[in-house]
Coordinates of all heavy atoms in Angstrom, one line a residue:
M1 N 6.8 -29.7 -18.3 CA 5.7 -29.4 -17.3 C 6.0 -28.0 -16.7 O 5.2 -27.2 -16.5 CB 5.6 -30.5 -16.3 CG 4.6 -30.3 -15.3 SD 2.9 -30.8 -15.8 CE 3.1 -32.6 -15.8
D2 N 7.3 -27.8 -16.2 CA 7.7 -26.6 -15.5 C 7.6 -25.4 -16.5 O 7.2 -24.3 -16.1 CB 9.0 -26.7 -14.9 CG 9.1 -27.7 -13.8 OD1 8.0 -27.9 -13.1 OD2 10.2 -28.2 -13.5
L3 N 8.0 -25.7 -17.7 CA 7.9 -24.6 -18.7 C 6.5 -24.1 -19.0 O 6.2 -22.9 -19.1 CB 8.6 -25.0 -20.0 CG 8.6 -24.0 -21.1 CD1 9.5 -22.8 -20.7 CD2 9.2 -24.6 -22.4
I4 N 5.6 -25.1 -19.0 CA 4.2 -24.7 -19.2 C 3.7 -23.8 -18.0 O 3.0 -22.8 -18.2 CB 3.3 -26.0 -19.3 CG1 3.6 -26.7 -20.6 CG2 1.8 -25.6 -19.3 CD1 3.0 -28.1 -20.7
L5 N 4.1 -24.2 -16.8 CA 3.7 -23.4 -15.6 C 4.3 -22.0 -15.7 O 3.6 -21.0 -15.4 CB 4.1 -24.1 -14.3 CG 3.8 -23.4 -13.0 CD1 2.3 -23.2 -12.9 CD2 4.4 -24.1 -11.9
I6 N 5.5 -21.9 -16.1 CA 6.2 -20.6 -16.1 C 5.5 -19.7 -17.2 O 5.2 -18.5 -16.9 CB 7.7 -20.7 -16.4 CG1 8.3 -21.4 -15.2 CG2 8.3 -19.4 -16.7 CD1 9.8 -21.8 -15.4
I7 N 5.3 -20.3 -18.3 CA 4.6 -19.5 -19.4 C 3.2 -19.1 -19.0 O 2.8 -17.9 -19.3 CB 4.6 -20.3 -20.7 CG1 6.0 -20.5 -21.3 CG2 3.7 -19.7 -21.8 CD1 6.1 -21.4 -22.4
T8 N 2.5 -20.0 -18.4 CA 1.1 -19.7 -17.9 C 1.1 -18.5 -16.9 O 0.3 -17.6 -16.9 CB 0.4 -20.9 -17.4 OG1 0.4 -21.9 -18.3 CG2 -1.0 -20.6 -17.0
V9 N 2.0 -18.6 -16.0 CA 2.1 -17.5 -14.9 C 2.4 -16.2 -15.6 O 1.8 -15.2 -15.2 CB 3.1 -17.9 -13.8 CG1 3.4 -16.7 -12.9 CG2 2.6 -19.1 -13.0
L10 N 3.4 -16.2 -16.5 CA 3.8 -14.9 -17.1 C 2.6 -14.4 -17.9 O 2.3 -13.2 -17.9 CB 5.0 -15.1 -18.0 CG 6.3 -15.4 -17.3 CD1 7.4 -15.7 -18.3 CD2 6.6 -14.2 -16.4
F11 N 1.9 -15.2 -18.7 CA 0.8 -14.8 -19.5 C -0.3 -14.3 -18.5 O -1.0 -13.3 -18.8 CB 0.3 -16.0 -20.3 CG -1.1 -15.8 -20.9 CD1 -1.2 -15.0 -22.0 CD2 -2.2 -16.4 -20.3 CE1 -2.5 -14.8 -22.6 CE2 -3.5 -16.1 -20.9 CZ -3.6 -15.4 -22.0
S12 N -0.5 -15.0 -17.4 CA -1.6 -14.6 -16.5 C -1.4 -13.2 -15.9 O -2.3 -12.4 -15.7 CB -1.7 -15.6 -15.4 OG -2.0 -16.9 -15.9
L13 N -0.1 -13.0 -15.5 CA 0.2 -11.6 -14.9 C 0.0 -10.5 -15.9 O -0.6 -9.5 -15.6 CB 1.6 -11.6 -14.4 CG 2.0 -12.5 -13.2 CD1 3.4 -12.5 -13.0 CD2 1.2 -12.0 -12.0
F14 N 0.4 -10.7 -17.2 CA 0.2 -9.8 -18.2 C -1.3 -9.6 -18.5 O -1.8 -8.5 -18.6 CB 0.9 -10.2 -19.5 CG 0.6 -9.3 -20.7 CD1 1.2 -8.1 -20.8 CD2 -0.2 -9.8 -21.7 CE1 0.9 -7.3 -21.9 CE2 -0.5 -8.9 -22.8 CZ 0.1 -7.7 -22.9
Y15 N -2.0 -10.7 -18.6 CA -3.5 -10.7 -18.9 C -4.2 -10.0 -17.8 O -5.1 -9.1 -18.0 CB -4.0 -12.1 -19.1 CG -5.3 -12.2 -19.7 CD1 -5.5 -11.8 -21.0 CD2 -6.4 -12.7 -18.9 CE1 -6.8 -11.9 -21.6 CE2 -7.7 -12.8 -19.5 CZ -7.8 -12.4 -20.8 OH -9.1 -12.5 -21.4
L16 N -3.9 -10.3 -16.5 CA -4.6 -9.6 -15.4 C -4.3 -8.1 -15.4 O -5.2 -7.3 -15.1 CB -4.2 -10.2 -14.1 CG -4.9 -11.5 -13.6 CD1 -4.3 -12.1 -12.4 CD2 -6.4 -11.2 -13.4
F17 N -3.1 -7.7 -15.7 CA -2.8 -6.3 -15.7 C -3.6 -5.6 -16.8 O -4.1 -4.5 -16.6 CB -1.2 -6.2 -16.0 CG -0.8 -4.7 -16.1 CD1 -0.7 -3.9 -15.0 CD2 -0.5 -4.2 -17.3 CE1 -0.3 -2.6 -15.1 CE2 0.0 -2.9 -17.4 CZ 0.0 -2.1 -16.3
Q18 N -3.7 -6.2 -18.0 CA -4.4 -5.6 -19.1 C -5.9 -5.5 -18.7 O -6.6 -4.5 -19.0 CB -4.2 -6.4 -20.4 CG -2.8 -6.3 -20.9 CD -2.4 -4.9 -21.3 OE1 -3.2 -4.1 -21.8 NE2 -1.2 -4.5 -21.0
I19 N -6.5 -6.6 -18.1 CA -7.9 -6.6 -17.8 C -8.1 -5.5 -16.7 O -9.2 -4.8 -16.8 CB -8.3 -7.9 -17.2 CG1 -8.3 -9.0 -18.4 CG2 -9.7 -7.9 -16.6 CD1 -9.3 -8.8 -19.5
N20 N -7.2 -5.3 -15.8 CA -7.4 -4.3 -14.8 C -7.3 -2.9 -15.4 O -8.1 -2.0 -15.0 CB -6.4 -4.4 -13.6 CG -6.8 -5.5 -12.6 OD1 -8.0 -5.7 -12.4 ND2 -5.9 -6.2 -12.1
K21 N -6.5 -2.7 -16.4 CA -6.4 -1.4 -17.1 C -7.8 -1.1 -17.8 O -8.3 0.0 -17.8 CB -5.3 -1.4 -18.1 CG -3.9 -1.1 -17.5 CD -2.8 -1.1 -18.5 CE -3.1 -0.4 -19.8 NZ -1.9 -0.4 -20.7
M22 N -8.3 -2.1 -18.4 CA -9.6 -2.0 -19.1 C -10.7 -1.7 -18.1 O -11.6 -0.9 -18.4 CB -9.9 -3.2 -20.0 CG -9.0 -3.3 -21.2 SD -9.4 -4.5 -22.4 CE -9.4 -6.0 -21.5
T23 N -10.7 -2.4 -17.0 CA -11.7 -2.2 -15.9 C -11.6 -0.7 -15.4 O -12.7 -0.1 -15.2 CB -11.5 -3.2 -14.8 OG1 -11.5 -4.5 -15.3 CG2 -12.6 -3.0 -13.7
Y24 N -10.4 -0.2 -15.2 CA -10.2 1.1 -14.8 C -10.8 2.1 -15.8 O -11.5 3.1 -15.5 CB -8.7 1.4 -14.6 CG -8.5 2.9 -14.2 CD1 -8.8 3.4 -13.0 CD2 -8.0 3.8 -15.2 CE1 -8.5 4.7 -12.7 CE2 -7.8 5.1 -14.9 CZ -8.0 5.6 -13.6 OH -7.8 6.9 -13.3
A25 N -10.5 1.9 -17.1 CA -11.1 2.7 -18.2 C -12.6 2.6 -18.2 O -13.3 3.7 -18.4 CB -10.5 2.3 -19.5
L26 N -13.2 1.5 -18.0 CA -14.6 1.4 -17.9 C -15.2 2.2 -16.7 O -16.2 2.9 -16.9 CB -15.0 -0.1 -17.7 CG -16.5 -0.4 -17.5 CD1 -17.3 -0.2 -18.8 CD2 -16.7 -1.8 -16.9
C27 N -14.6 2.0 -15.6 CA -15.0 2.8 -14.4 C -15.0 4.3 -14.6 O -15.8 5.0 -14.2 CB -14.2 2.4 -13.2 SG -14.6 0.7 -12.6
E28 N -13.9 4.7 -15.3 CA -13.8 6.2 -15.6 C -14.8 6.6 -16.6 O -15.4 7.7 -16.4 CB -12.3 6.4 -16.1 CG -11.3 6.3 -15.0 CD -11.4 7.4 -13.9 OE1 -11.6 8.5 -14.2 OE2 -11.4 7.0 -12.7
S29 N -15.0 5.9 -17.7 CA -15.9 6.3 -18.7 C -17.3 6.3 -18.3 O -18.1 7.1 -18.7 CB -15.7 5.5 -20.0 OG -16.1 4.1 -19.8
R30 N -17.7 5.3 -17.5 CA -19.1 5.2 -17.0 C -19.3 6.0 -15.7 O -20.4 6.0 -15.2 CB -19.4 3.7 -16.7 CG -19.4 2.9 -17.9 CD -20.5 3.1 -18.8 NE -20.4 2.2 -20.0 CZ -21.3 2.2 -20.9 NH1 -22.3 3.0 -20.9 NH2 -21.1 1.4 -21.9
E31 N -18.3 6.6 -15.2 CA -18.3 7.5 -14.0 C -19.0 6.7 -12.8 O -19.9 7.1 -12.2 CB -19.1 8.8 -14.3 CG -18.4 9.6 -15.3 CD -19.2 10.9 -15.6 OE1 -20.3 11.1 -15.1 OE2 -18.6 11.7 -16.4
I32 N -18.4 5.5 -12.6 CA -18.9 4.6 -11.5 C -18.4 5.1 -10.2 O -17.2 5.5 -10.1 CB -18.4 3.2 -11.8 CG1 -19.1 2.6 -13.1 CG2 -18.8 2.2 -10.6 CD1 -18.6 1.3 -13.5
P33 N -19.3 5.2 -9.2 CA -18.8 5.8 -7.9 C -17.7 5.0 -7.3 O -17.6 3.8 -7.5 CB -20.1 5.7 -7.0 CG -21.2 5.5 -8.0 CD -20.7 4.9 -9.2
E34 N -16.9 5.7 -6.5 CA -15.7 5.1 -5.9 C -16.0 3.9 -5.0 O -15.3 3.0 -4.9 CB -14.9 6.2 -5.1 CG -14.4 7.3 -5.9 CD -12.9 7.0 -6.3 OE1 -12.3 6.2 -5.7 OE2 -12.5 7.7 -7.3
E35 N -17.2 4.0 -4.3 CA -17.5 2.9 -3.4 C -17.9 1.6 -4.1 O -17.9 0.6 -3.5 CB -18.6 3.4 -2.4 CG -19.8 4.1 -2.8 CD -19.7 5.5 -3.2 OE1 -18.7 6.3 -2.9 OE2 -20.6 6.0 -3.9
K36 N -18.3 1.7 -5.3 CA -18.7 0.5 -6.1 C -17.5 -0.1 -6.8 O -17.6 -1.3 -7.2 CB -19.8 0.8 -7.1 CG -21.1 1.1 -6.4 CD -22.2 1.2 -7.4 CE -23.5 1.4 -6.7 NZ -24.7 1.4 -7.7
Q37 N -16.5 0.6 -7.0 CA -15.3 0.1 -7.8 C -14.6 -1.1 -7.3 O -14.3 -2.0 -8.0 CB -14.3 1.3 -8.1 CG -14.9 2.3 -9.0 CD -13.9 3.4 -9.4 OE1 -12.7 3.3 -9.1 NE2 -14.4 4.5 -9.9
P38 N -14.4 -1.2 -5.9 CA -13.7 -2.4 -5.4 C -14.5 -3.7 -5.7 O -13.9 -4.7 -6.0 CB -13.6 -2.1 -3.9 CG -13.6 -0.7 -3.8 CD -14.5 -0.2 -4.9
K39 N -15.8 -3.6 -5.7 CA -16.6 -4.8 -5.9 C -16.5 -5.2 -7.4 O -16.4 -6.4 -7.7 CB -18.1 -4.5 -5.6 CG -19.0 -5.7 -5.8 CD -20.4 -5.4 -5.4 CE -21.3 -6.6 -5.6 NZ -22.7 -6.4 -5.3
I40 N -16.4 -4.2 -8.3 CA -16.3 -4.5 -9.7 C -14.9 -5.1 -10.0 O -14.8 -6.1 -10.7 CB -16.4 -3.2 -10.6 CG1 -17.9 -2.7 -10.5 CG2 -16.0 -3.4 -12.0 CD1 -18.1 -1.3 -11.0
Y41 N -13.9 -4.5 -9.4 CA -12.5 -5.1 -9.6 C -12.4 -6.5 -9.0 O -11.9 -7.4 -9.7 CB -11.5 -4.2 -8.9 CG -11.0 -3.0 -9.7 CD1 -11.5 -1.8 -9.4 CD2 -10.1 -3.2 -10.7 CE1 -11.1 -0.7 -10.2 CE2 -9.6 -2.1 -11.4 CZ -10.1 -0.9 -11.2 OH -9.7 0.2 -11.9
R42 N -13.0 -6.7 -7.9 CA -13.0 -8.1 -7.3 C -13.7 -9.1 -8.2 O -13.2 -10.2 -8.4 CB -13.6 -8.0 -5.9 CG -13.4 -9.3 -5.1 CD -14.0 -9.2 -3.7 NE -13.9 -7.8 -3.1 CZ -15.0 -7.1 -2.8 NH1 -16.2 -7.5 -2.9 NH2 -14.8 -5.9 -2.3
T43 N -14.9 -8.7 -8.6 CA -15.6 -9.6 -9.5 C -14.9 -10.0 -10.8 O -14.7 -11.1 -11.2 CB -17.0 -9.0 -9.9 OG1 -17.7 -8.7 -8.6 CG2 -17.8 -9.9 -10.7
V44 N -14.3 -8.9 -11.4 CA -13.6 -9.1 -12.7 C -12.4 -10.0 -12.4 O -12.1 -10.9 -13.2 CB -13.2 -7.8 -13.3 CG1 -12.2 -8.0 -14.4 CG2 -14.5 -7.1 -13.8
N45 N -11.6 -9.7 -11.4 CA -10.4 -10.5 -11.1 C -10.7 -11.9 -10.7 O -10.0 -12.8 -11.1 CB -9.6 -9.8 -10.0 CG -8.9 -8.6 -10.5 OD1 -8.5 -8.5 -11.7 ND2 -8.6 -7.6 -9.6
V46 N -11.8 -12.2 -10.0 CA -12.1 -13.6 -9.7 C -12.5 -14.3 -10.9 O -12.1 -15.5 -11.2 CB -13.3 -13.6 -8.6 CG1 -13.9 -15.0 -8.5 CG2 -12.7 -13.2 -7.2
L47 N -13.3 -13.7 -11.8 CA -13.7 -14.4 -13.0 C -12.6 -14.6 -13.9 O -12.5 -15.7 -14.5 CB -14.8 -13.5 -13.7 CG -16.1 -13.5 -13.0 CD1 -17.1 -12.5 -13.7 CD2 -16.8 -14.8 -12.8
V48 N -11.7 -13.7 -14.1 CA -10.5 -13.9 -14.9 C -9.6 -14.9 -14.3 O -9.0 -15.8 -15.1 CB -9.7 -12.5 -15.1 CG1 -8.4 -12.8 -15.8 CG2 -10.6 -11.6 -16.0
T49 N -9.4 -15.0 -13.0 CA -8.6 -16.0 -12.4 C -9.2 -17.4 -12.6 O -8.4 -18.3 -12.9 CB -8.5 -15.7 -10.9 OG1 -7.9 -14.4 -10.7 CG2 -7.6 -16.7 -10.2
I50 N -10.5 -17.5 -12.5 CA -11.1 -18.8 -12.9 C -10.9 -19.2 -14.3 O -10.6 -20.3 -14.6 CB -12.6 -18.7 -12.6 CG1 -12.9 -18.6 -11.1 CG2 -13.4 -19.9 -13.1 CD1 -14.3 -18.3 -10.7
L51 N -11.0 -18.2 -15.2 CA -10.7 -18.5 -16.6 C -9.3 -18.9 -16.8 O -9.0 -19.9 -17.5 CB -11.0 -17.2 -17.4 CG -10.7 -17.3 -18.9 CD1 -11.7 -18.2 -19.6 CD2 -10.7 -15.9 -19.5
I52 N -8.3 -18.3 -16.2 CA -6.9 -18.6 -16.3 C -6.6 -20.0 -15.7 O -5.9 -20.8 -16.3 CB -6.0 -17.6 -15.6 CG1 -6.1 -16.3 -16.5 CG2 -4.6 -18.1 -15.5 CD1 -5.4 -15.1 -15.8
L53 N -7.2 -20.3 -14.6 CA -7.0 -21.7 -14.0 C -7.6 -22.8 -14.8 O -7.0 -23.8 -15.0 CB -7.6 -21.7 -12.6 CG -6.9 -21.0 -11.5 CD1 -7.7 -20.9 -10.2 CD2 -5.5 -21.6 -11.3
S54 N -8.8 -22.5 -15.4 CA -9.3 -23.5 -16.3 C -8.5 -23.7 -17.5 O -8.3 -24.8 -18.0 CB -10.8 -23.2 -16.7 OG -10.8 -22.0 -17.4
F55 N -7.9 -22.6 -18.0 CA -7.0 -22.7 -19.2 C -5.8 -23.6 -18.8 O -5.4 -24.4 -19.6 CB -6.6 -21.3 -19.6 CG -5.4 -21.3 -20.6 CD1 -5.6 -21.6 -21.9 CD2 -4.2 -20.9 -20.2 CE1 -4.6 -21.6 -22.8 CE2 -3.1 -20.8 -21.1 CZ -3.3 -21.2 -22.4
Y56 N -5.2 -23.3 -17.6 CA -4.0 -24.1 -17.2 C -4.4 -25.6 -17.0 O -3.6 -26.4 -17.5 CB -3.5 -23.5 -15.9 CG -2.3 -24.3 -15.4 CD1 -1.1 -24.3 -16.0 CD2 -2.4 -25.1 -14.2 CE1 0.0 -25.1 -15.6 CE2 -1.4 -25.8 -13.8 CZ -0.2 -25.8 -14.4 OH 0.9 -26.6 -14.0
V57 N -5.5 -25.9 -16.4 CA -5.9 -27.3 -16.3 C -6.1 -28.0 -17.6 O -5.7 -29.1 -17.8 CB -7.2 -27.4 -15.4 CG1 -7.7 -28.8 -15.4 CG2 -6.8 -26.9 -14.0
E58 N -6.7 -27.2 -18.5 CA -6.9 -27.8 -19.9 C -5.6 -28.1 -20.5 O -5.4 -29.2 -21.1 CB -7.7 -26.9 -20.7 CG -8.0 -27.4 -22.1 CD -8.9 -26.5 -22.9 OE1 -9.4 -25.5 -22.4 OE2 -8.9 -26.7 -24.2
I59 N -4.6 -27.2 -20.5 CA -3.3 -27.4 -21.1 C -2.6 -28.5 -20.4 O -2.0 -29.4 -21.0 CB -2.5 -26.1 -21.0 CG1 -3.1 -25.0 -21.8 CG2 -1.0 -26.3 -21.4 CD1 -3.0 -25.2 -23.3
L60 N -2.7 -28.6 -19.0 CA -2.0 -29.6 -18.3 C -2.6 -31.0 -18.6 O -1.8 -32.0 -18.7 CB -2.2 -29.3 -16.8 CG -1.4 -30.1 -15.8 CD1 0.1 -29.8 -16.0 CD2 -1.8 -29.8 -14.4
L61 N -3.9 -31.1 -18.8 CA -4.5 -32.4 -19.1 C -4.1 -32.9 -20.5 O -4.1 -34.1 -20.8 CB -6.0 -32.4 -18.9 CG -6.4 -32.2 -17.4 CD1 -7.9 -32.1 -17.4 CD2 -5.9 -33.4 -16.6
K62 N -3.9 -32.0 -21.4 CA -3.6 -32.3 -22.8 C -2.1 -32.6 -23.0 O -1.7 -33.3 -23.9 CB -4.0 -31.2 -23.8 CG -5.5 -31.1 -24.0 CD -5.8 -30.1 -25.0 CE -7.4 -30.0 -25.2 NZ -7.8 -29.1 -26.2
A63 N -1.3 -32.1 -22.1 CA 0.2 -32.3 -22.2 C 0.6 -33.7 -21.8 O 0.0 -34.4 -21.1 CB 0.9 -31.3 -21.5

C-alpha cells in the first residue's frame, strides 16, 4: 500500500512538471498575454490533479 502511494506521488510530480512545461510552450507559441497565463496554469493543474487522484483511487480500489 505504501509503495503504491510513493510510486504515485513520484509519477505525479514528474507528470505535473511535464504538463507545466507543455503549458508554458503553448503559452509561448500562441503568444497568450501574461495576465491570462495564471488562469490557464491553474485550470490545467487542477484538471491534471483530478486525473491523478482518480488514477490513485482506481489503483487503490483494485489492490
Side-chain angles (χ1 to χ4, degrees):
M1 181 86 70
D2 292 334
L3 182 62
I4 294 173
L5 179 62
I6 293 169
I7 291 172
T8 305
V9 168
L10 292 175
F11 168 77
S12 301
L13 291 174
F14 174 75
Y15 193 69
L16 277 170
F17 179 72
Q18 292 298 322
I19 292 294
N20 280 327
K21 279 178 46 177
M22 291 190 298
T23 304
Y24 175 77
L26 173 74
C27 288
E28 289 294 311
S29 68
R30 298 287 180 179
E31 297 177 359
I32 296 174
E34 297 267 339
E35 48 286 341
K36 290 188 179 185
Q37 289 183 15
K39 184 176 179 183
I40 293 171
Y41 277 101
R42 191 175 327 115
T43 302
V44 168
N45 285 332
V46 166
L47 292 174
V48 170
T49 303
I50 291 170
L51 178 70
I52 290 169
L53 286 173
S54 66
F55 169 74
Y56 176 69
V57 168
E58 181 179 347
I59 295 291
L60 192 62
L61 292 176
K62 288 185 179 182

